[in-house]
Amino acid sequence: MESLNFVEKKVIRVGAEAVIKEAFWKNHRIIVKHRVPKRYREESIDLRVRKSRTIHEAKMLIHLSENGIPVPLVYFIDPVECVIYMQYIEGLELRNHPGAVERAKRLGNIVGEMHGLDVCHGDLTLANIIADENQGVWVVDFGLSGFNADLEEKAIDVHLLERSAASTFPTQTKKFFENFLKSYSETTGRDAAKEVLEKVKEIRSRGRYVAR
Amino acid sequence: MVTVLGIESTAHTFGVGIVNSQGKILANVMKIYKPSVGGIHPREASQHHAAKAAEAVAEAFQTAGIKPSDIDAVAFSQGPGMGPCLRTGATVARTLSLALRKPLIGVNHGVAHIEIGKLVTNCGDPVVLYVAGGNTMVVALVEKKYRILGETLDIAAGNCLDAFGISAGIGPMPAAEIYAKQGSKIYDIPYRVNGMDVSFSGLLTASEKLLKSGVPLGDVCLSLTETVYSMLTEVTERALAMTAKSSLLLVGGLARSKRLCEMLNTMCVDRGASLHVVPDQYAGDNGAMIAWTGLLMYGCKQFINVDESFVKPRMRVDEVEVCWSP
Ligand SMILES: Nc1ncnc2c1ncn2[C@@H]1O[C@H](COP(=O)(O)OP(=O)(O)O)[C@@H](O)[C@H]1O
Ligand SMILES: [Mg+2]
């Protein structure tokens, strides 16, 4: 990788599991996502988790790009250091975007299409959605995503998104979610959307004193 | 000065606490049901609680050195929890409330775990990791409610570790953590994190399979506890990153786990956050936490009528209006 001559620049975000840097390759601005070791985790668990998520995320990004879903293009992968080099998306995270409620419409289409491919995101929060300057919406951070997603996993995406909105801007959650659901069900079809929503309700009522 | 008596009765513990508005815990009596075999039987537990109730209440007044008529309100854990256990506690609370002519307060058990932690650790406005036998969640106070940022999608962390210990014949926690000290090899078992949610049932099944296939008990316990605690620490770190808070509060029965505290502490040191752990005597279910939360609710007159004081076995922490928050 060193021979490819990257000019690493500044750290732009320290996420929960990765350090995100901006870098240049032949004057082209790119994102470098490095899953850094976590000292709290025992070494073998740590390496297994980081490596599998890096490889998996790259595979998923490529798959989604090929299917026309707006995600960053993958340029290079370094599975030893757990690094992905990818397209830089210009924009603001949806949680910081003043027009989040409006963009929920576009987001509903994108998540609907993704679920149509039986892909679930696995961490669908407002920090992992980027709104650009041209009314576009992009999705990032696919380390926890899944191929062959079942109904439950799709419902978890919708559940996570709503909860993320509720904890970010409680007063606008309702409108945000209405906008999202309208275009989501337009994309997936009414029946499929209804099934997912039923499952979301079930998930919400679960989670405590579940006897084994 | 306001003084509140609180009754805890959601699962294995029948607790009676008395707390005053200076935050002083005057009494914290606990009667703990221990099943003769296997896990907890709700009906047996509730019978235990009913049998011990009068004695526990009398003991609490005696320890506190006050008369029943000195209290200003009666609080009880309204949910979540096991129906039969909750109903026993509620019945005792209603009886006291009517006999003493003091208002009745229905307290959310999860909120109570959080509030007692805040009272005794002085942690400011934290992200809270609440892990116990029946509950696993990461919450933070946003606009007067404890919002659930992450939770278990199936069984609780404590339930997972207890269930494994019981099926392996070593009993509930802390057995799995003690046996883990004899282990040296870590096996790959499902590490399932979804955003800030976790799921433990796959990991429990995998651990039981490992043991059956002849892997030494110590190694299975080590693999299981290391994986469970790593998952919990990871989602907690995500919550700290998302909320940009710099204080973490650990509450619930699993706060007694040394290894979990150690991992959380390493994570906090690396992020520049501070870790606050509820002390052992307030980690498990107890009456003092119900009394203290009842006292906070007393301040904004969140009373309920006796004839509307139904228990709520599936009550959620985000149902509660945290009227006492600044
Ligand atoms: N390709 C990208 N273009 C622009 N910004 C990005 C890109 N990838 C990530 N980011 C930014 O970095 C943040 C963290 O990256 P993410 O992949 O979500 O890692 P983490 O797993 O640590 O959350 C994102 O929330 C986003 O703001
Ligand atoms: Mg992210």
Side-chain angles (χ1 to χ4, degrees), chain A residues 17 38-42 48 53 95 122-123 144 156 163 170 204-206 208-210 212, chain B residues 134 148-149 151 153 159 186 188 191 194-195 197 204 208 230 234 237-238 242 263 270 314 316:
Chain A
E17 63 166 336
K38 293 291 176 187
R39 271 200 316 135
Y40 65 80
R41 261 187 313 228
E42 190 281 332
R48 172 163 63 101
R53 284 188 190 158
R95 61 173 167 174
D123 190 13
L144 303 173
I156 289 172
R163 213 178 45 194
R204 256 183 230 144
S205 68
R206 238 190 269 158
R208 61 233 58 250
Y209 292 98
V210 183
R212 202 174 74 97
Chain B
I148 300 174
L149 307 174
E151 62 191 320
L153 296 170
N159 187 202
I186 292 186
D188 285 6
Y191 184 107
N194 273 309
D197 290 336
L204 172 56
E208 288 172 346
S230 295
E234 179 179 353
E237 181 168 23
R238 283 169 178 268
M242 193 198 110
M263 273 199 206
D270 287 356
R314 290 181 165 270
R316 290 176 65 88

Side-chain angles (χ1 to χ4, degrees), chain B:
Chain B
M1 173 105 73
V2 178
T3 306
V4 174
L5 176 139
I7 293 175
E8 158 59 26
S9 172
T10 55
H12 42 64
T13 301
F14 187 84
V16 183
I18 300 176
V19 175
N20 69 23
S21 44
Q22 288 175 332
K24 203 162 167 231
I25 295 161
L26 305 173
N28 191 24
V29 175
M30 282 176 243
K31 305 285 174 195
I32 302 175
Y33 153 81
K34 292 205 174 64
S36 41
V37 285
I40 181 165
H41 310 286
R43 220 159 23 82
E44 260 183 38
S46 74
Q47 284 160 359
H48 161 272
H49 297 346
K52 298 283 181 182
E55 179 190 332
V57 171
E59 215 175 299
F61 280 120
Q62 197 180 24
T63 313
I66 60 171
K67 302 187 300 294
S69 58
D70 291 339
I71 61 166
D72 299 287
V74 179
F76 71 103
S77 50
Q78 194 172 12
M82 297 175 172
C85 300
L86 288 169
R87 282 191 285 278
T88 303
T91 305
V92 176
R94 284 180 204 123
T95 310
L96 279 171
S97 161
L98 290 171
L100 300 169
R101 296 208 183 91
K102 303 292 179 184
L104 188 65
I105 301 171
V107 171
N108 179 291
H109 176 84
V111 170
H113 270 292
I114 299 168
E115 290 299 343
I116 195 81
K118 283 189 167 180
L119 172 69
V120 299
T121 65
N122 203 8
C123 56
D125 175 27
V127 162
V128 185
L129 174 61
Y130 165 32
V131 270
N135 293 282
T136 300
M137 62 184 78
V138 186
V139 305
L141 190 59
V142 179
E143 298 189 4
K144 296 203 179 283
K145 278 192 179 160
Y146 285 111
R147 315 276 167 177
I148 300 174
L149 307 174
E151 62 191 320
T152 178
L153 296 170
D154 43 49
I155 57 174
N159 187 202
C160 171
L161 298 171
D162 288 347
F164 175 79
I166 290 165
S167 78
I170 54 176
M173 282 290 280
E177 192 162 322
I178 292 167
Y179 279 84
K181 293 206 178 84
Q182 302 171 4
S184 57
K185 182 164 180 230
I186 292 186
Y187 287 78
D188 285 6
I189 47 176
Y191 184 107
R192 278 204 55 195
V193 169
N194 273 309
M196 283 181 258
D197 290 336
V198 285
S199 105
F200 294 115
S201 65
L203 189 152
L204 172 56
T205 316
S207 303
E208 288 172 346
K209 260 198 205 133
L210 275 183
L211 192 64
K212 273 206 199 91
S213 74
V215 171
L217 179 60
D219 287 349
V220 182
C221 287
L222 183 66
S223 309
L224 176 66
T225 51
E226 287 294 314
T227 307
V228 168
Y229 299 161
S230 295
M231 288 164 62
L232 291 172
T233 307
E234 179 179 353
V235 294
T236 306
E237 181 168 23
R238 283 169 178 268
L240 283 166
M242 193 198 110
T243 57
K245 292 188 198 266
S246 59
S247 166
L248 171 63
L249 172 64
L250 173 62
V251 300
L254 234 63
R256 296 196 185 100
S257 159
K258 292 285 161 300
R259 180 63 182 135
L260 176 60
C261 289
E262 184 182 46
M263 273 199 206
L264 290 170
N265 191 53
T266 306
M267 182 273 286
C268 284
V269 166
D270 287 356
R271 298 193 58 82
S274 59
L275 172 65
H276 305 267
V277 182
V278 72
D280 282 3
Q281 72 265 39
Y282 304 118
D285 296 350
N286 64 84
M289 69 184 197
I290 304 298
W292 171 242
T293 309
L295 199 137
L296 294 169
M297 292 170 77
Y298 183 95
C300 30
K301 302 203 162 38
Q302 283 189 356
F303 305 132
I304 47 172
N305 291 324
V306 168
D307 46 356
E308 286 162 9
S309 60
F310 315 110
V311 300
K312 300 180 177 173
R314 290 181 165 270
M315 191 180 192
R316 290 176 65 88
V317 297
D318 53 6
E319 284 174 36
V320 179
E321 168 83 21
V322 184
C323 55
W324 57 90
S325 84

Side-chain angles (χ1 to χ4, degrees), chain A residues 63-122:
Chain A
H63 175 67
L64 293 175
S65 290
E66 280 173 353
N67 282 281
I69 310 284
V71 299
L73 270 174
V74 173
Y75 300 139
F76 309 101
I77 309 157
D78 178 347
V80 178
E81 298 295 329
C82 303
V83 184
I84 302 179
Y85 298 77
M86 66 179 108
Q87 181 185 359
Y88 191 110
I89 309 294
E90 302 273 359
L92 264 185
E93 289 175 20
L94 210 51
R95 61 173 167 174
N96 300 323
H97 197 279
V101 170
E102 193 54 33
R103 298 288 174 106
K105 294 177 185 163
R106 176 77 188 111
L107 182 65
N109 293 134
I110 296 169
V111 176
E113 279 170 36
M114 209 173 73
H115 284 180
L117 295 168
D118 288 336
V119 166
C120 65
H121 183 277

